[in-house]
Amino acid sequence: ESYISTIGVDFSLRTVQRGGERIKLQVWDLLVGTIVNRFRTHSTSMYRRAHGVIALFDLTDMESFTNLRKWLAEIDRYAPENVNMMVMGTKCDLRSERIVTEEDVHTFLDDASERLEFINKRITYVETSAKRNVHVDQAIDVM
């Protein structure tokens, strides 16, 4: 198996057809950690122009889930008040390696909704597998 790793920031464009309309998506993949600090100026301006933000975490990695709190705080600080928000748990196909439970996620999201200012509506949550193409298109449709 081969995977492409993100070493800082990765950017791609994708055009999708939804409801008879062509929609252009800009997808920015920001790596959590010290490398992302070099791109902080760019990421904060991206949030300001965003219509939707998807915060991803790895269902097999508790640190990834824990970092979600930092990402939601950053989105809260820089994104427009009416931004569409989705949290996506990845690698749902790796059931035997799963560490983060659905209960963990829902408890976290309930807490986040109370603490963060911009989240005045429900955050959509979906579990996906890019490897097996599970719920990926549905997540884009929801967003």
Side-chain angles (χ1 to χ4, degrees):
E1 297 180 53
S2 69
Y3 299 95
I4 299 172
S5 296
T6 302
I7 58 170
V9 174
D10 187 26
F11 169 79
S12 64
L13 292 172
R14 181 173 176 188
T15 302
V16 296
Q17 291 279 351
R18 296 296 185 258
E21 289 186 58
R22 283 179 47 153
I23 301 169
K24 291 183 182 179
L25 304 174
Q26 288 185 11
V27 180
W28 292 84
D29 183 359
L30 306 173
L31 177 68
V32 177
T34 57
I35 294 174
V36 80
N37 289 327
R38 292 190 336 194
F39 302 97
R40 178 77 52 213
T41 303
H42 300 297
S43 65
T44 57
S45 66
M46 287 184 298
Y47 288 129
R48 283 188 215 110
R49 297 187 315 261
H51 296 276
V53 178
I54 303 174
L56 288 83
F57 71 95
D58 181 341
L59 290 163
T60 67
D61 181 353
M62 187 55 79
E63 183 179 1
S64 172
F65 178 64
T66 302
N67 285 331
L68 194 56
R69 185 174 309 279
K70 295 174 195 172
W71 285 110
L72 291 184
E74 187 167 296
I75 294 164
D76 180 46
R77 184 172 179 191
Y78 297 111
E81 205 170 291
N82 61 346
V83 71
N84 292 313
M85 181 66 204
M86 177 181 288
V87 170
M88 184 182 294
T90 63
K91 300 183 183 178
C92 70
D93 58 313
L94 302 178
R95 289 185 181 97
S96 64
E97 298 173 42
R98 183 177 183 141
I99 296 171
V100 182
T101 67
E102 273 195 67
E103 183 179 342
D104 293 336
V105 176
H106 291 292
T107 299
F108 170 80
L109 292 177
D110 289 345
D111 178 56
S113 294
E114 292 175 14
R115 286 182 306 100
L116 301 174
E117 293 176 15
F118 88 100
I119 302 176
N120 50 21
K121 60 183 175 189
R122 195 175 132 256
I123 300 172
T124 303
Y125 174 64
V126 65
E127 294 185 357
T128 63
S129 168
K131 181 178 178 180
R132 303 256 187 251
N133 195 24
V134 174
H135 300 142
V136 176
D137 288 335
Q138 293 90 330
I140 292 170
D141 286 342
V142 168
M143 183 50 79

